[in-house]
Amino acid sequence: PSEIESTLNHISSHRNVRGVVVLSRDGPIVRHTGAAYKGEHGRKYAGVIKKIVDACKHGFDETIERGDDLKISANTTKKHEIMISPGVISLLARV
């Protein structure tokens, strides 16, 4: 498998990972693993992830020196942890 597929499989294989999603820069899902990102539920997660990334980028634009970018964001609720790592081409998240 490609390096991307290997990485997705590696992350997905961890015991507590419910799914991995790769989004385009505009937000639609490009690839996903696990039931957490299927159908409408997946589109909801994708929208939330896009909003989080956009808010972080906006905050960086206003407060952090030029050229500094978000590398990883961990968002924890009572039931879930969402880790977001924006890339040049896509966004990778795990739930």
Side-chain angles (χ1 to χ4, degrees), residues 56-77:
C56 289
K57 285 183 177 183
H58 179 73
F60 276 130
D61 289 346
E62 290 186 2
T63 59
I64 306 296
E65 63 186 67
R66 192 180 281 307
D68 206 0
D69 266 335
L70 176 67
K71 295 294 181 193
I72 193 162
S73 171
N75 304 277
T76 305
T77 68

Side-chain angles (χ1 to χ4, degrees), residues 15 32 35 42 64 67 78 83 86:
R15 186 176 57 123
H32 70 84
I64 306 296
K78 288 181 181 179
M83 297 179 71

Side-chain angles (χ1 to χ4, degrees), residues 6 9 18 52 73:
S6 292
N9 290 334
R18 294 180 55 205
I52 291 169
S73 171

